[in-house]
Amino acid sequence: MTHATLDPGAPDLPGAPSRTASRTGTAAGTRARRAARRRAALEWTAVHSLGIAAAAFFVLPFVFVLLTAVMSDQQALTRSLWPHPFVWSNFRTVWDTPGFLTWWRNTLVYSVVGTVLTVVSSLPVAYALAKFRFRGRNTVMVLVISTMMLPPQVVIIPMYLFWAKQLHLDGTLWPLLVPLAFGDAFSIFLLRQFLLTVPREYTEAARVDGCGELRTLLRVVVPMIRPAIAAVALFQFFACWNDYFGPQIYTSSNPAAWTLSYGLESFKGAHHTNWNLTMAATVLVMAPVIMVFFFAQKAFIEGVTLTGVKG
Amino acid sequence: MTAVHPALRARRRRAALRNLAFLSPWIIGFSVFFCYPLLSTVYFSFMHYDGFNAPVWSGGRNWSYVFTEYPLFWPALRNTLWLVVVMVTLRVVFGLGVGLLVTRIRTGAGFFRTAFYLPYLAPPVAATMAFVFLLNPATGPVNHVLGGIGIPGAGWFTDPHWSKPALTVLAVWGIGDLMVIFMAALLDVPREQYEAAELDGAGAVQRFRHITLPNIRPIVMFAVVTGVIQTMQYYTQPLVAGKVASGIIGNSGQQFEPGYPDRSTLTLPQLVYNLGFQRFDYGSACVVALVLFVLAMAFTALLMRRRNGFLSAED
């Protein structure tokens, strides 16, 4: 993400003032240059003040949540902003709340297993859509994009009836995990976007060397698109971690199968007005996502860019 | 020619089998988890079905119920429309604004980009609960701070006039994805165009109008249409906000009249849940699901018309 170079209004671009300066005398030139420098300083200040104001809007909610998370019960009910004293044990209290650890484990299973299943099943589909020529390829692509854009509520009634009334698997994680073993539209779309950037020569060369398609994919293509796989895995991990609707539909009957997203709310219920504990729980749910992001920032941002920009 | 034919045919068949093998996860998934349930949704929309007694044909009864009697349908549609107009507009405007800002920031660019991006990652349930707390009229820090500078705070999630604006603030807070997309698009605008315009004496506003905007128009369109599709699916945030702000005891099974306060946070997807899983009227829930389907497909078609780029295969 080299971005600093493009800067439409940047004063260091060859602009009118310096041009005039070279044509007129030195005194006027110095004055013009000084004016340009002053304008640059002014712009720097304006841009960065605006940046700080915007950053405050984006960061302060996190700060307030963190501060409230370490307040005492009584203080959280008042309008004070600074914890006095700092009650770090709130995190411990949340952690020890019955259910919390189970929900944490369920969320981890859903996110990790779901991510692996998604990548393994979406990769061959994306590869076929990017590298094979066949009739109906565009139709498949249109259908993939359509399902990607579809609200999950559209098909939830029959899906629920199928899992709950026919297979009796509601109250477990199975209804959430199994569909991910059959390709996820968004992941297929994103992987295909990446795969289109892999030069055809590589796959062609592998084929000439007698590599089967599957070997080509695993040995030649996968190592080349490792960042793409990381991006897709991250998106899926976050999607599972953040999913609320799926767990609400399929696991609500059995608290032992709840995930954090779904359990978090009832946690709030268990401690009706305890905003401090609620915010401590919120921090504990947000923390892993943010930590994962800091480890894999680049892959993630590349993924976001590619969904919107490259066609 | 005739001699090559069988070999060629064999090769074609092998290629077709290979394609099928690679596509099979999607083909199975699409049939089992999409086609079959979609057809079932259509089927159930004409049935009276409560999940216990066998489904009974009821003709257009569910359809007329949803459109003429179900008291939540029209408020939900109106809310969705409100959210589409206000939320999508503000998200795109702020996303572009922050994108522009970020391309001009020199010092501490990494810090600013991360700060603008992080809220996008916050899990929706956690973020919503955080905002219900932050905007709590009695104990929340936002009204406290507003009061400190002499602005009377609003009722936010507890006031039907302010609950949608509160949701909008939450949505604008999470524009990190749009910022990244706009930033990438802005960096792709050819620099020479700006230099030429500057030589012609164009000011910043003119440069934005005549160079930046035309260049990034496709991305703006993309952001608007995907924004509309996302808003159609808007579910977790309004539901959790309504529940938490109304003080309902979490997932205790306590009946929750969705849309608190006063149906103001009701959206279409919530109706599927309300009809199907709270009132066990699966038939009517399927009607709402189909309404959602038609709306989402209409905008998806628009998106694909605008950006056939989606389908371009550069091979």
Side-chain angles (χ1 to χ4, degrees), chain A residues 141 145 148-149 189 192-193 196 306-308 310-311, chain B residues 222 226 300 303-304 307-313:
Chain A
M141 213 43 225
I145 294 170
M148 183 171 101
M149 298 295 177
F189 168 69
R192 174 184 168 270
Q193 300 296 90
L196 287 177
L306 210 57
T307 48
K310 292 263 167 61
Chain B
F222 172 80
T226 48
T300 305
L303 181 73
M304 288 198 284
R307 279 174 66 86
N308 344 13
F310 262 148
L311 302 173
S312 73

Side-chain angles (χ1 to χ4, degrees), chain A residues 1-10 12-13 19 43-44 47-48 50-52 54-55 57-59 61-62 64-65 68 76-79 81 121 124-125 127-128 132-134 137-138 140-147 149-161 163 165 179 182 188-189 192 196 200 213-214 217 235 238 242 244-245 248-249 258 261-262 264-266 268-269 272 275 278-279 282 285-286 289-290 293-294 300-301 304-305 307-311, chain B residues 18-19 22-23 25-26 28-30 33-34 37-38 40-41 44 49 51 101-107 109 112-127 129-130 132-134 136-139 141 143-144 169 172-173 175 177 180-181 183-184 186-189 191 194-195 198-199 207 219 222 229 233 235-236 239-240 243-244 247-251 269 272-273 276-277 282 285-286 289 292-293 296-297 300 303-304 307 309-315:
Chain A
M1 301 251 104
T2 48
H3 77 291
T5 39
L6 185 118
D7 196 345
D12 57 340
L13 288 178
R19 215 154 261 268
E43 200 196 288
W44 187 94
V47 164
H48 285 78
L50 213 58
I52 289 166
F57 170 68
F58 288 108
V59 173
F62 287 114
F64 284 137
V65 166
T68 309
L77 285 173
T78 67
R79 286 188 149 200
L81 299 179
S121 61
V125 181
Y127 183 67
F132 299 168
R133 293 162 202 268
F134 55 90
R137 186 176 63 173
N138 277 358
V140 172
M141 213 43 225
V142 168
L143 290 173
V144 167
I145 294 170
S146 306
T147 50
M149 298 295 177
L150 213 67
Q153 286 82 9
V154 169
V155 291
I156 196 64
I157 300 287
M159 285 317 302
Y160 170 79
L161 295 173
W163 285 107
K165 308 274 172 187
F182 295 96
I188 293 173
F189 168 69
R192 174 184 168 270
L196 287 177
R200 219 177 163 75
E213 284 298 346
L214 199 60
L217 172 60
F235 273 113
F238 288 158
N242 295 342
Y244 177 84
F245 184 65
Q248 182 193 26
I249 295 297
W258 288 0
S261 271
Y262 188 60
L264 188 61
E265 203 190 291
S266 98
K268 174 254 162 201
H272 191 55
W275 279 117
T278 309
M279 289 304 109
T282 302
V285 174
M286 283 187 184
V289 171
I290 303 219
F293 170 72
F294 274 109
F300 203 75
I301 297 222
V304 175
T305 315
T307 48
V309 177
K310 292 263 167 61
Chain B
R18 177 202 68 185
N19 296 342
F22 273 75
L23 290 175
W26 178 80
I28 297 170
F30 183 73
F33 301 113
F34 180 78
L38 186 63
S40 303
T41 303
F44 282 125
Y49 187 43
L101 189 65
V102 144
T103 57
R104 292 169 145 252
I105 282 178
R106 291 288 169 81
T107 316
F112 283 106
R113 261 181 285 148
T114 309
F116 300 157
Y117 189 71
L118 271 188
Y120 165 67
L121 295 176
V125 176
M129 291 181 70
V132 173
F133 160 71
L134 293 166
N136 185 312
T139 57
N143 276 8
H144 181 171
V169 175
V172 168
W173 186 61
I175 52 168
D177 54 337
V180 171
I181 291 171
M183 195 171 82
L186 288 167
L187 295 178
D188 271 350
V189 180
R191 204 184 152 146
Y194 287 115
E195 288 170 7
E198 198 148 348
L199 282 181
R207 284 199 301 264
I219 297 295
F222 172 80
I229 296 170
Q233 313 188 9
Y235 178 80
T236 307
L239 177 68
V240 173
K243 268 185 166 181
V244 177
I248 279 283
I249 304 293
N251 306 318
V272 179
Y273 184 79
F277 299 96
Y282 290 116
C286 286
L292 260 181
F293 174 71
M297 280 305 103
T300 305
L303 181 73
M304 288 198 284
R307 279 174 66 86
F310 262 148
L311 302 173
S312 73
E314 295 133 33
D315 57 356

Side-chain angles (χ1 to χ4, degrees), chain A residues 151 153-154 156 245, chain B residues 66-67 70 72-81 83-84 228 230-235 238-239 258-259 263-276 284-296:
Chain A
Q153 286 82 9
V154 169
I156 196 64
F245 184 65
Chain B
V66 166
F67 288 116
Y70 183 45
L72 304 183
F73 180 76
W74 294 105
L77 197 65
R78 266 199 302 277
N79 287 339
T80 302
L81 219 62
L83 291 168
V84 161
V228 172
Q230 277 166 14
T231 312
M232 237 65 104
Q233 313 188 9
Y234 202 50
Y235 178 80
L239 177 68
R263 298 173 185 173
S264 63
T265 55
L266 212 56
T267 58
L268 284 177
Q270 279 170 271
L271 302 189
V272 179
Y273 184 79
N274 177 254
L275 284 168
S284 302
C286 286
V287 173
V288 179
L290 289 173
V291 172
L292 260 181
F293 174 71
V294 170
L295 287 175

